[in-house]
């Protein structure tokens, strides 16, 4: 497992939440693969980075960091002070919001599938 130290070095409930987030991405689409970029777990769609999993420095709460966030319209995404990317915050002590995650992933992957984001 790529990034296993990232996941397994966390305390509960963060570790379980992060692993569930990872599994959700990897099971979402057969073209999604995991690697490491910038020291972070990075998820690629057909070889092109589209999402990271990371944690907030202050709260330790995990989030999905969407590479093409500025192009995504889902109201659950937050841009903060980021120019390009947006995050989908996740509460580690609650069930994953699967409807929201699926909606965000559908929207993100459609950018790659419809040619808005070029895939090699």
């Amino acid at each position: 497992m790529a990034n296993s130290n990232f996941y397994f070095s966390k305390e509960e409930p963060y570790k379980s939440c992060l692993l569930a987030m990872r599994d959700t991405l990897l099971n979402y689409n057969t073209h999604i693969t995991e690697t490491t970029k910038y020291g972070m777990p990075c998820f690629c769609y057909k070889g092109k980075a589209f999402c990271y999993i990371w944690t907030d420095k202050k709260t330790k709460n995990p989030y999905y960091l969407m590479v093409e966030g500025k192009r995504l319209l889902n109201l659950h995404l937050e841009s903060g002070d980021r120019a390009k990317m947006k995050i989908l915050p996740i509460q580690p002590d609650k069930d994953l919001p699967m409807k929201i995650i699926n909606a965000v992933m559908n929207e993100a992957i459609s950018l790659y599938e419809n040619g808005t984001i070029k895939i090699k």
Side-chain angles (χ1 to χ4, degrees):
M1 171 192 306
N3 302 298
S4 62
N5 191 45
F6 170 77
Y7 300 107
F8 291 106
S9 66
K10 307 294 185 210
E11 300 172 7
E12 291 297 348
Y14 307 103
K15 176 171 59 176
S16 295
C17 181
L18 289 163
L19 287 168
M21 290 169 65
R22 175 187 181 271
D23 288 346
T24 297
L25 279 176
L26 292 175
N27 291 318
Y28 186 79
N29 185 295
T30 58
H31 296 292
I32 295 175
T33 57
E34 183 181 15
T35 187
T36 302
K37 289 190 180 189
Y38 313 109
M40 302 167 63
C42 175
F43 296 84
C44 299
Y45 181 75
K46 295 185 178 180
K48 182 104 172 170
F50 87 99
C51 179
Y52 293 86
I53 291 178
W54 202 240
T55 56
D56 183 271
K57 289 179 184 170
K58 293 179 185 173
T59 66
K60 297 183 184 177
N61 286 349
Y63 57 84
Y64 290 108
L65 178 63
M66 305 307 296
V67 172
E68 295 294 334
K70 71 177 180 181
R71 299 176 193 250
L72 302 176
L73 304 176
N74 190 291
L75 298 177
H76 292 94
L77 292 170
E78 302 172 2
S79 58
D81 58 359
R82 296 171 194 85
K84 182 179 177 184
M85 299 184 184
K86 289 183 183 177
I87 68 166
L88 177 62
I90 302 295
Q91 295 184 8
D93 55 347
K94 297 191 176 174
D95 289 342
L96 292 180
M98 292 309 299
K99 286 183 180 178
I100 296 169
I101 292 169
N102 287 335
V104 168
M105 294 307 151
N106 282 339
E107 188 180 2
I109 286 176
S110 73
L111 296 174
Y112 298 80
E113 286 296 314
N114 69 20
T116 301
I117 306 300
K118 303 295 182 217
I119 300 172
K120 296 177 187 176

